[in-house]
Amino acid sequence: MSEATPVTQTAEIDLGGQRGQVLRQIARNPLGVVGGLLLLAVVLTAVLAPLLAPYSPEQVHFDTPFQRAFTVGFPLGTDDLGRDILSRIVYGTRVSLLVGALAVLLAVVVGTPLGLLAGYVGWVDVIVSRLTDLTLAFPFLIIAVGLAAINGPSVGNAAVALGIAQVPTMVRVVRAETLRHKELEFVLAARSLDAGGGRILGQHILPNALSAVIVQATVIMPVAVIGEALLSFLGLGIQPPTPSLGIMLSDAQQYIFRAPTAAVFPGLAIAVICLGFNLFGDALRDALDPTTRKR
């Protein structure tokens, strides 16, 4: 049994040496760098929201409604209640990232072990694959809207609904990686040394499948951000007075011709968040793909 240790050590050494190579590969990708910078700006905006926002997102200025963009005191203008659009976007970005991160965490925590078991254990694969196929037959947003409607509108329920809706996709990704790795030499060697299924999955297959999990997480995140905006737009997500990009879009549709920037700027914020994750995710996928990785 003690002879199985060198196999694990070899895999860990390979993974450790891969990190620097992946970072260098991303740095060589101009779009990846742009995506990384956008993500850095978005995260800093969310973290430093109290310092960056000129006003409280809920503060109203009844004497200055519908102010144009670039007005003194209101860089992006105000809405129908005189609330500062910039402040609400800054805090709305924080809410979007929070809901997206919780949804990704749920999808990873639930989908990864199910995918590992489905790819390694035959009878589990039959059950999980059929349930996954059944779930994937419904559009993602339909599932999210249905779950949010059942559980009620709130930040937590929106995150849970979006996360559960993304679990089947994560299961399929991890299952495919498990099926690919379980017939490779290092797994066969561990199996020949009487390593148990749990040890093989935890020490050999899971570390090698993490790259696919990370890439899929960068794909889920922008989908969750858009999903949160949609749920809030429909009144099934974040509830007023908490600022949300989706709520801002919903409110702005009532006076779109009078103050179009009230809808344009929140829409641009959603686009920037999603663009950053997509560009960085594509660069990360290429960097982790051994067939495209530059030596």
Side-chain angles (χ1 to χ4, degrees):
M1 294 297 294
S2 60
E3 297 179 3
T5 303
V7 178
T8 305
Q9 291 177 343
T10 302
E12 291 175 352
I13 292 173
D14 292 338
L15 287 173
Q18 189 182 32
R19 293 192 187 98
Q21 188 177 8
V22 169
L23 292 176
R24 289 191 297 271
Q25 184 72 10
I26 293 176
R28 296 191 192 105
N29 188 329
L31 293 179
V33 173
V34 172
L37 292 176
L38 287 177
L39 288 184
L40 179 61
V42 168
V43 172
L44 288 178
T45 298
V47 172
L48 303 176
L51 299 177
L52 297 177
Y55 306 94
S56 168
E58 302 171 11
Q59 182 177 351
V60 297
H61 304 84
F62 292 112
D63 55 335
T64 55
F66 298 118
Q67 290 293 304
R68 295 180 179 273
F70 311 113
T71 300
V72 177
F74 303 103
L76 300 184
T78 60
D79 61 10
D80 58 326
L81 297 178
R83 294 174 295 189
D84 181 54
I85 293 178
L86 175 60
S87 300
R88 292 182 63 78
I89 288 177
V90 168
Y91 278 90
T93 299
R94 170 185 278 189
V95 171
S96 294
L97 292 184
L98 174 62
V99 173
L102 292 176
V104 169
L105 180 63
L106 178 60
V108 170
V109 170
V110 176
T112 299
L114 286 178
L116 288 171
L117 289 175
Y120 195 79
V121 183
W123 66 270
V124 176
D125 187 24
V126 174
I127 298 175
V128 172
S129 293
R130 297 295 78 77
L131 292 175
T132 300
D133 293 340
L134 177 63
T135 306
L136 290 174
F138 298 91
F140 155 74
L141 290 177
I142 297 298
I143 297 176
V145 169
L147 291 174
I150 293 173
N151 296 326
S154 70
V155 174
N157 289 340
V160 170
L162 294 169
I164 291 177
Q166 285 292 339
V167 166
T169 304
M170 182 62 73
V171 169
R172 299 194 73 171
V173 169
V174 177
R175 173 183 176 274
E177 289 295 304
T178 304
L179 291 173
R180 184 168 70 89
H181 285 100
K182 77 175 185 178
E183 301 300 333
L184 297 181
E185 288 80 0
F186 65 91
V187 174
L188 296 178
R191 195 178 298 160
S192 68
L193 295 172
D194 294 329
R199 182 174 182 179
I200 291 175
L201 288 174
Q203 296 186 6
H204 301 291
I205 295 181
L206 177 58
N208 288 279
L210 279 180
S211 59
V213 172
I214 294 172
V215 171
Q216 186 61 30
T218 64
V219 175
I220 293 175
M221 189 67 178
V223 175
V225 169
I226 295 176
E228 182 276 321
L230 174 64
L231 292 179
S232 298
F233 185 88
L234 297 176
L236 298 174
I238 314 304
Q239 295 297 295
T242 303
S244 166
L245 300 177
I247 291 177
M248 294 180 69
L249 291 174
S250 178
D251 293 340
Q253 68 175 335
Q254 305 172 32
Y255 46 85
I256 185 66
F257 295 107
R258 183 174 181 181
T261 54
V264 170
F265 289 126
L268 285 176
I270 296 173
V272 169
I273 296 173
C274 296
L275 180 63
F277 277 105
N278 285 330
L279 291 179
F280 187 78
D282 288 343
L284 184 62
R285 180 198 60 205
D286 293 340
L288 293 173
D289 188 351
T291 62
T292 62
R293 191 183 305 145
K294 296 180 180 178
R295 299 291 179 181

